[in-house]
Amino acid sequence: MPEPTRDEIAGLVRPGRVHRRVYADPAIFETEMERIFGRAWVYVGHESEVRAPGDFVRTRIGRRPMVMVRHEDGNIRVIHNQCAHRGAMVVAKDRGSAKQFECCYHGWTYATDGRLIHVPLRHGYPAHFDPDDPGTAMVAAPRVDSYRGFVFASLFADGPSLADFLGYMTTSFDDMVDRSPDDEIEVAGGVFKHAYDGNWKLYLENLCDAAHPIFVHRSSIDAARAQDDSVHTTGAGEIAVRQMRQNGAPHEFWREQVGIWTYPGGHAFLGDYHDDEKLVAASGDPAFAEYLAALEAQKGAEETRRIMEVTRWNSNVWPNLSFMSQFRQLRVVHPIAVDRTEVHTYAFRLKGAPAKMFEDTVAFANVTNGTGSPVLTDDLETYGRIGSGVTSAGAEWIEVGRGYETDRPDGKGGVEGVDSTSEVYIRNMYDAWLGYMAGP
Ligand code: FES
Ligand SMILES: [Fe+2]
């Protein structure tokens, strides 16, 4: 498959439009794996998943299978999940704890930093074989760094620091962690995994799309509106009904009251489109009142007020992460092929908060991210329809120009949509995409 030239790639993005090849061409996908996922900081997991030395979770950087593991020196390593002998995947469990990793095929054994430490039947290997050669290791990502517990890795030894890469988006991570009375959050519960037959870029493109809910989620909006309030007054049922009803807010609301902000590097966040009466039940919910009291006891009334006034919905950290503080959800995008994508969804517990807060997190996860979710399934259907639509010639240029003429600087180094349904965050992702794909 010939690699597309930089000029050819640059020609696929025009002001407010992109060519359908960016979603459909396997050669573009291969180049993305190399130039974007081979260079950017990519989210690989949360520190709470690997608390003790030897704790590990499987993850990916682009298509490359990786293991995030806490080494015996206390540092987190991210190593290629591939045996240096004949290439077998070494770690087959999704998570666990191990003193060392032994390959299932011929028993080569690696330390938790990837070094080869034991080779059975050593006498049979030729003279040039040197187990101390770094080339016989499970190769470690050259750079691993974290921000407030969120761990990123880069396969590129040079390039901007994680702090520079995240820029203003650090405030979204702050928003997530600040909500914990103990200033600490942890991954809890299981992992939802889903897949769709479409390009990886479609996923983040949808999570800040304020123009789609009223169309895509019509069936669940109608069902929730028809639902009698008296049936579901508390807990998961209440959250589900309120969330689905709010997806049907009128067009003027989506245009004028939500807000969309974008930052260099392809990152963005959408404003919260619920208020306490509609979803969080803050004022009337005794568990939420208990939570606020715990937060105030630790952080004081003024800081608690400041934290509660941050109202963001999904924050996208391009290229592979989207998370949301209000219900502590986090989604990781794994590109599999040009027309196949997996998404893994995690829930977080706020340390020091009443147990009911995490019950609401799980309830919300079931409504919006579960495999039986009446909301998520609509989105998956849409990605699949785009996936099949973009493969055929015809409409060559895809329109991503909504809001193009009214977007404006936000005064913090970013650009905001005056109209909340602006596709500015998609154009912003393509600015970053071009930088990696067609830049030096
Ligand atoms: S492939 Fe791993 S030991 Fe042979
Ligand atoms: Fe949706």
Side-chain angles (χ1 to χ4, degrees):
M1 194 183 307
E3 188 172 283
T5 66
R6 286 172 201 272
D7 282 351
E8 205 179 336
I9 291 170
L12 298 174
V13 179
R14 292 179 184 169
R17 304 173 113 191
V18 294
H19 195 275
R20 66 175 183 82
R21 265 183 74 191
V22 305
Y23 300 101
D25 184 340
I28 295 288
F29 178 81
E30 293 301 326
T31 309
E32 288 175 337
M33 293 306 103
E34 186 187 314
R35 294 194 193 154
I36 299 172
F37 286 88
R39 287 165 61 193
W41 284 101
V42 174
Y43 176 78
V44 288
H46 191 263
E47 281 177 5
S48 63
E49 296 177 276
V50 289
R51 283 193 192 286
D55 288 357
F56 67 86
V57 288
R58 289 203 303 166
T59 183
R60 290 197 189 97
I61 298 180
R63 268 180 318 189
R64 188 176 300 197
M66 307 292 288
V67 183
M68 178 175 88
V69 52
R70 190 168 302 264
H71 188 49
E72 60 201 19
D73 63 5
N75 291 321
I76 292 175
R77 308 293 168 101
V78 179
I79 57 179
H80 192 181
N81 191 5
Q82 186 190 65
C83 181
H85 179 213
R86 299 243 299 269
M89 177 178 71
V90 178
V91 179
K93 277 169 67 179
D94 275 349
R95 57 190 60 234
S97 186
K99 287 203 160 37
Q100 53 199 27
F101 298 126
E102 183 185 304
C103 180
C104 67
Y105 203 177
H106 314 94
W108 284 27
T109 303
Y110 301 87
T112 50
D113 60 357
R115 266 178 310 114
L116 181 63
I117 51 174
H118 178 61
V119 178
L121 305 171
R122 192 48 207 286
H123 60 277
Y125 291 93
H128 69 248
F129 172 69
D130 174 9
D132 295 327
D133 181 337
T136 62
M138 291 170 73
V139 179
R143 294 196 299 163
V144 178
D145 200 356
S146 65
Y147 183 78
R148 298 199 73 176
F150 297 87
V151 185
F152 291 75
S154 170
L155 296 176
F156 195 47
D158 299 313
S161 67
L162 178 63
D164 286 349
F165 173 84
L166 295 176
Y168 189 70
M169 294 307 289
T170 53
T171 55
S172 281
F173 292 106
D174 293 339
D175 179 37
M176 186 92 142
V177 184
D178 287 349
R179 285 167 188 271
S180 156
D182 294 351
D183 249 357
E184 195 185 334
I185 62 172
E186 63 183 0
V187 172
V191 185
F192 279 131
K193 296 179 180 176
H194 56 265
Y196 59 88
D197 291 330
N199 190 258
W200 65 275
K201 297 188 289 299
L202 296 172
Y203 193 80
L204 293 194
E205 287 180 10
N206 186 58
L207 284 187
C208 289
D209 186 329
H212 88 281
I214 204 164
F215 299 102
V216 170
H217 302 301
R218 188 79 254 170
S219 62
S220 59
I221 293 165
D222 290 345
R225 283 186 176 161
Q227 178 71 66
D228 190 324
D229 274 342
S230 64
V231 177
H232 289 302
T233 51
T234 56
E238 181 190 37
I239 287 170
V241 168
R242 286 180 168 183
Q243 157 72 5
M244 290 188 270
R245 282 181 186 163
Q246 185 63 359
N247 277 339
H251 286 298
E252 305 75 61
F253 173 84
W254 289 108
R255 270 203 312 270
E256 294 159 15
Q257 292 184 44
V258 177
I260 176 79
W261 293 267
T262 72
Y263 296 93
H267 316 316
F269 59 82
L270 183 72
D272 190 356
Y273 63 98
H274 306 85
D275 64 26
D276 293 344
E277 281 172 56
K278 296 188 189 97
L279 187 63
V280 182
S283 45
D285 185 337
F288 200 85
E290 195 190 325
Y291 160 65
L292 282 183
L295 202 56
E296 271 189 30
Q298 293 288 349
K299 306 194 172 191
E302 198 177 318
E303 174 67 355
T304 298
R305 195 164 43 247
R306 183 198 68 75
I307 292 166
M308 288 299 123
E309 278 171 8
V310 179
T311 54
R312 296 183 186 179
W313 200 245
N314 292 323
S315 286
N316 287 353
V317 175
W318 199 79
N320 79 325
L321 174 66
S322 181
F323 63 100
M324 184 260 275
S325 306
Q326 307 281 333
F327 279 92
R328 284 76 61 189
Q329 313 283 308
L330 180 143
R331 298 110 164 178
V332 187
V333 182
H334 297 293
I336 305 297
V338 67
D339 56 358
R340 185 74 176 166
T341 305
E342 260 184 42
V343 179
H344 296 183
T345 303
Y346 303 80
F348 283 80
R349 179 189 283 123
L350 300 171
K351 297 272 240 128
K356 169 73 163 53
M357 293 294 288
F358 186 63
E359 284 171 31
D360 287 351
T361 294
V362 172
F364 188 85
N366 286 330
V367 174
T368 59
N369 298 315
T371 40
S373 157
V375 181
L376 172 84
T377 40
D378 295 332
D379 293 309
L380 293 180
E381 171 69 18
T382 307
Y383 306 144
R385 290 189 192 189
I386 298 170
S388 65
V390 293
T391 53
S392 55
E396 296 298 294
W397 289 91
I398 284 163
E399 181 68 46
V400 290
R402 279 185 66 85
Y404 186 69
E405 281 156 0
T406 53
D407 301 336
R408 64 184 174 201
D410 76 338
K412 298 185 185 78
V415 175
E416 66 179 333
V418 170
D419 179 329
S420 319
T421 66
S422 171
E423 286 158 343
V424 60
Y425 67 99
I426 300 179
R427 296 188 287 280
N428 185 54
M429 288 194 254
Y430 277 103
D431 287 346
W433 186 87
L434 270 183
Y436 285 97
M437 294 286 284

